[in-house]
Amino acid sequence: RKEVEQDPGPFNVPEGATVAFNCTYSNSASQSFFWYRQDCRKEPKLLMSVYSSGNEDGRFTAQLNRASQYISLLIRDSKLSDSATYLCVVTKGGGYQKVTFGTGTKLQVIP
Amino acid sequence: DAGVIQSPRHEVTEMGQEVTLRCKPISGHNSLFWYRQTMMRGLELLIYFNNNVPIDDSGMPEDRFSAKMPNASFSTLKIQPSEPRDSAVYFCASTVREGNQPQHFGDGTRLSIL
């Protein structure tokens, strides 16, 4: 089993739709979680951190479910500019901060 | 504030040549990561430095790859000799290790080995 797994998609959704992605992780000792966005031929950029209580940033909501070992990203009122690949990142701390990126979920928002 | 700076942005060279990629992390960041990204394999961690010391190089493909961090503001990733299968985008990222902070990526170096 991969350490971090994501559905590669693509998710094709119309403008204005709500879309959600999940990301599962295998290491129960994982401590920090993030969502990154990567546009075609660009570097990954931090979208938002994921906190235990869940957090929201505008149209974006991130949640963590430690019991089931997954994180989620919800995008409301999708915009064309949301089209990108969304990478989840899981970090295990301690003496060595092991960071694992998922392979990403591709989102295409259609006019 | 300046982000992570990588150079060159693009590199095209013939197989067998030595390739050196450079990275300047964000000032004050004490952890630096080198990644390779391809369509087939996604984003792969090659090596991770903390306070200029290599902590985990298990992702380095083979002896042809080497990385150094002589000081807190500079790192290199070298491939010698290069092969066509090394063609990929190479990213450098930095972060503050304490508190499990997120990584910040440079623009990447797009490497093509002919």
Side-chain angles (χ1 to χ4, degrees), chain A residues 31-32 34 36 38 41-44 46 49 87 91-99 101 103, chain B residues 31 33 35 37 43 45 48 55-56 91 95-97 99-107 110:
Chain A
Q31 295 180 315
S32 300
F34 307 95
Y36 278 71
Q38 186 172 23
R41 302 177 74 84
K42 296 286 190 179
E43 76 277 18
L46 178 67
S49 303
L87 304 164
T91 300
K92 175 178 171 298
Y96 165 36
Q97 187 193 64
K98 182 173 171 59
V99 179
F101 278 75
T103 52
Chain B
S31 293
F33 304 78
Y35 292 91
Q37 188 173 40
L43 196 65
L45 176 64
Y48 157 46
I55 301 299
D56 182 359
F91 288 108
T95 189
V96 176
R97 177 180 174 276
N100 289 321
Q101 296 298 307
Q103 298 178 18
H104 298 267
F105 283 75
D107 291 339
R110 192 167 298 275

Side-chain angles (χ1 to χ4, degrees), chain A residues 15 37 78-83 108-111:
Chain A
E15 266 187 293
R37 170 195 169 125
S78 300
K79 310 291 185 190
L80 295 177
S81 57
D82 294 335
S83 298
Q108 185 70 45
V109 181
I110 304 164

Side-chain angles (χ1 to χ4, degrees), chain B residues 4-65:
Chain B
V4 176
I5 300 172
Q6 289 187 246
S7 64
R9 291 293 302 276
H10 304 273
E11 174 91 11
V12 181
T13 191
E14 293 185 345
M15 65 177 292
Q17 298 297 307
E18 178 179 292
V19 173
T20 300
L21 310 181
R22 297 173 176 79
C23 176
K24 176 178 168 56
I26 293 173
S27 177
H29 284 191
N30 57 2
S31 293
L32 183 141
F33 304 78
W34 281 102
Y35 292 91
R36 176 173 71 177
Q37 188 173 40
T38 61
M39 288 292 292
M40 292 297 293
R41 301 171 69 93
L43 196 65
E44 301 174 277
L45 176 64
L46 300 177
I47 187 168
Y48 157 46
F49 291 88
N50 190 49
N51 292 326
N52 312 339
V53 176
I55 301 299
D56 182 359
D57 64 355
S58 60
M60 296 286 263
E62 47 199 274
D63 292 346
R64 297 184 297 106
F65 285 68

